[in-house]
PDB file of all heavy atoms in Angstrom:
ATOM      1  N   HIS A 112      47.182  42.953 -32.027  1.00 98.00           N
ATOM      2  CA  HIS A 112      47.981  42.368 -33.111  1.00 98.00           C
ATOM      3  C   HIS A 112      48.999  43.390 -33.600  1.00 98.00           C
ATOM      4  O   HIS A 112      48.728  44.595 -33.610  1.00 98.00           O
ATOM      5  CB  HIS A 112      47.094  41.844 -34.245  1.00 98.00           C
ATOM      6  CG  HIS A 112      46.535  42.877 -35.175  1.00 98.00           C
ATOM      7  ND1 HIS A 112      47.198  43.306 -36.304  1.00 98.00           N
ATOM      8  CD2 HIS A 112      45.364  43.558 -35.162  1.00 98.00           C
ATOM      9  CE1 HIS A 112      46.446  44.194 -36.942  1.00 98.00           C
ATOM     10  NE2 HIS A 112      45.335  44.380 -36.276  1.00 98.00           N
ATOM     11  N   HIS A 115      50.609  43.666 -40.004  1.00 96.00           N
ATOM     12  CA  HIS A 115      49.718  44.452 -40.864  1.00 96.00           C
ATOM     13  C   HIS A 115      49.796  43.895 -42.288  1.00 96.00           C
ATOM     14  O   HIS A 115      50.121  42.727 -42.469  1.00 96.00           O
ATOM     15  CB  HIS A 115      50.033  45.950 -40.749  1.00 96.00           C
ATOM     16  CG  HIS A 115      48.994  46.816 -41.385  1.00 96.00           C
ATOM     17  ND1 HIS A 115      47.655  46.685 -41.098  1.00 96.00           N
ATOM     18  CD2 HIS A 115      49.081  47.830 -42.304  1.00 96.00           C
ATOM     19  CE1 HIS A 115      46.963  47.561 -41.810  1.00 96.00           C
ATOM     20  NE2 HIS A 115      47.803  48.272 -42.563  1.00 96.00           N
ATOM     21  N   ASP A 139      46.467  50.724 -37.452  1.00 97.00           N
ATOM     22  CA  ASP A 139      46.133  49.294 -37.554  1.00 97.00           C
ATOM     23  C   ASP A 139      47.415  48.479 -37.694  1.00 97.00           C
ATOM     24  O   ASP A 139      47.863  48.272 -38.807  1.00 97.00           O
ATOM     25  CB  ASP A 139      45.197  49.093 -38.748  1.00 97.00           C
ATOM     26  CG  ASP A 139      44.678  47.672 -38.870  1.00 97.00           C
ATOM     27  OD1 ASP A 139      44.888  46.883 -37.940  1.00 97.00           O
ATOM     28  OD2 ASP A 139      44.079  47.350 -39.912  1.00 97.00           O
ATOM     29  N   GLU A 173      46.919  38.416 -37.687  1.00 94.00           N
ATOM     30  CA  GLU A 173      45.534  38.876 -37.513  1.00 94.00           C
ATOM     31  C   GLU A 173      44.902  39.237 -38.840  1.00 94.00           C
ATOM     32  O   GLU A 173      43.764  38.868 -39.140  1.00 94.00           O
ATOM     33  CB  GLU A 173      45.494  40.086 -36.569  1.00 94.00           C
ATOM     34  CG  GLU A 173      44.080  40.468 -36.109  1.00 94.00           C
ATOM     35  CD  GLU A 173      43.326  41.398 -37.047  1.00 94.00           C
ATOM     36  OE1 GLU A 173      43.955  41.984 -37.972  1.00 94.00           O
ATOM     37  OE2 GLU A 173      42.105  41.549 -36.886  1.00 94.00           O
ATOM     38  N   GLU A 174      45.672  39.955 -39.657  1.00 91.00           N
ATOM     39  CA  GLU A 174      45.125  40.440 -40.929  1.00 91.00           C
ATOM     40  C   GLU A 174      44.817  39.285 -41.888  1.00 91.00           C
ATOM     41  O   GLU A 174      44.039  39.437 -42.816  1.00 91.00           O
ATOM     42  CB  GLU A 174      46.098  41.434 -41.584  1.00 91.00           C
ATOM     43  CG  GLU A 174      46.418  42.659 -40.730  1.00 91.00           C
ATOM     44  CD  GLU A 174      45.288  43.684 -40.682  1.00 91.00           C
ATOM     45  OE1 GLU A 174      44.172  43.356 -41.126  1.00 91.00           O
ATOM     46  OE2 GLU A 174      45.536  44.799 -40.191  1.00 91.00           O
ATOM     47  N   TYR A 271      42.036  53.651 -43.642  1.00 93.00           N
ATOM     48  CA  TYR A 271      41.938  52.271 -43.189  1.00 93.00           C
ATOM     49  C   TYR A 271      42.384  51.297 -44.291  1.00 93.00           C
ATOM     50  O   TYR A 271      41.895  51.367 -45.409  1.00 93.00           O
ATOM     51  CB  TYR A 271      40.500  51.975 -42.754  1.00 93.00           C
ATOM     52  CG  TYR A 271      40.247  50.519 -42.442  1.00 93.00           C
ATOM     53  CD1 TYR A 271      40.697  49.971 -41.248  1.00 93.00           C
ATOM     54  CD2 TYR A 271      39.588  49.704 -43.346  1.00 93.00           C
ATOM     55  CE1 TYR A 271      40.477  48.632 -40.959  1.00 93.00           C
ATOM     56  CE2 TYR A 271      39.360  48.367 -43.065  1.00 93.00           C
ATOM     57  CZ  TYR A 271      39.810  47.835 -41.878  1.00 93.00           C
ATOM     58  OH  TYR A 271      39.602  46.516 -41.605  1.00 93.00           O
ATOM     59  N   HIS A 272      43.343  50.431 -43.960  1.00 93.00           N
ATOM     60  CA  HIS A 272      43.872  49.415 -44.891  1.00 93.00           C
ATOM     61  C   HIS A 272      44.397  50.027 -46.193  1.00 93.00           C
ATOM     62  O   HIS A 272      44.311  49.413 -47.257  1.00 93.00           O
ATOM     63  CB  HIS A 272      42.830  48.323 -45.168  1.00 93.00           C
ATOM     64  CG  HIS A 272      42.825  47.262 -44.098  1.00 93.00           C
ATOM     65  ND1 HIS A 272      42.497  45.946 -44.327  1.00 93.00           N
ATOM     66  CD2 HIS A 272      43.148  47.336 -42.785  1.00 93.00           C
ATOM     67  CE1 HIS A 272      42.595  45.257 -43.200  1.00 93.00           C
ATOM     68  NE2 HIS A 272      42.989  46.087 -42.254  1.00 93.00           N
TER      69      HIS A 272
HETATM   70 ZN1   ZN B 501      43.464  45.535 -40.104  1.00 82.02          ZN
END
Side-chain angles (χ1 to χ4, degrees):
H112 77 89
H115 191 52
D139 186 10
E173 191 274 347
E174 301 285 12
Y271 172 76
H272 277 210

